């Protein structure tokens, strides 16, 4: 244990899940930093659990890994099975699979999800559901915080929906 640390010191803090990447510990109350940039996932895959009896370990691992920022977890609207993982690159998938198996005892495999181009959508729920049901090349997901996210099959579908949608919807490329 140390009483004092200096800039550049590496300090370990015991945490029971209260701290997240980007949190700051300080005695001063007016410390403020620029927000850590967020990147939208560019690849999506369904996470399939090898042993269904390991669902509790999978849920624990996904919750902790997403809090760390290892990848983003999404759920297909109306389904709690086979979560969809979003990552910026293949390495994030590989790291997540390795950690789920070796740290949480939940071996999984990935099945490619044929969508990309995520857009977090804000607006009336009825309009969101209407677009999800009627537009081609669009799937509705929910992120870990229950925010609706459209993912698109191709760039044409993105343009078609975002340029033509007049139902009071607003689209963002990163999570709120």
């Amino acid at each position: 244990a140390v009483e004092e640390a200096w800039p550049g010191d590496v300090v370990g803090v015991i945490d029971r899940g209260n701290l997240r990447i980007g949190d700051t510990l300080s005695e001063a109350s007016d410390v403020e930093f620029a927000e850590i940039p967020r990147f939208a996932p560019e690849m999506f895959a369904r996470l399939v659990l090898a042993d269904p009896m390991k669902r509790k370990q999978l849920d624990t691992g996904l919750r902790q890994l997403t809090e760390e920022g290892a990848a983003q977890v999404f759920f297909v609207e109306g389904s709690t099975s086979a979560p969809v993982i979003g990552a910026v690159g293949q390495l994030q998938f590989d790291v997540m699979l390795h950690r789920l198996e070796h740290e949480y005892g939940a071996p999984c495999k990935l099945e490619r999800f044929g969508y990309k181009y995520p857009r977090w959508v804000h607006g009336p729920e009825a309009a969101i559901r209407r677009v999800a049901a009627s537009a081609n090349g669009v799937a509705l997901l929910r992120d870990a915080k229950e925010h609706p996210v459209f993912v698109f099959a191709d760039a044409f579908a993105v343009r078609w929906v975002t340029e033509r949608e007049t139902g009071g919807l607003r689209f963002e490329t990163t999570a709120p």
Side-chain angles (χ1 to χ4, degrees), residues 3-20:
E3 296 294 324
E4 191 171 6
W6 298 95
D9 287 354
V10 176
V11 179
V13 177
I14 296 172
D15 173 42
R16 299 208 187 281
N18 298 319
L19 299 175
R20 297 185 62 193

Side-chain angles (χ1 to χ4, degrees), residues 39-44 72 74 85-88 92 116-118 120 173:
F39 299 98
E42 297 177 7
M43 303 170 71
F44 292 88
Q72 294 182 44
F74 302 90
I85 305 300
V88 174
Q92 280 183 293
K116 48 186 175 179
Y117 307 107
W120 279 261
T173 57

Side-chain angles (χ1 to χ4, degrees), residues 28-32:
S29 62
D30 60 349
V31 175
E32 190 173 318

Side-chain angles (χ1 to χ4, degrees), residues 20 38 41 44 55 58-77 79-80 83-86 96 118 120 140-151 174-176:
R20 297 185 62 193
R38 292 183 226 168
F44 292 88
R55 182 61 192 224
L58 174 66
D59 291 343
T60 300
L62 286 177
R63 185 178 58 255
Q64 291 177 358
L65 292 171
T66 55
E67 286 174 359
E68 291 176 17
Q72 294 182 44
V73 177
F74 302 90
F75 296 94
V76 175
E77 180 73 9
S79 171
T80 57
V84 174
I85 305 300
M96 181 169 260
W120 279 261
L140 176 59
L141 304 177
R142 298 280 174 172
D143 68 12
K145 295 181 179 177
E146 294 291 319
H147 296 124
V149 181
F150 284 140
V151 286
T174 58

Side-chain angles (χ1 to χ4, degrees), residues 82-102:
V84 174
I85 305 300
V88 174
Q90 182 62 42
L91 182 58
Q92 280 183 293
F93 285 144
D94 296 341
V95 168
M96 181 169 260
L97 287 176
H98 180 82
R99 291 188 66 192
L100 284 170
E101 180 175 355
H102 294 88

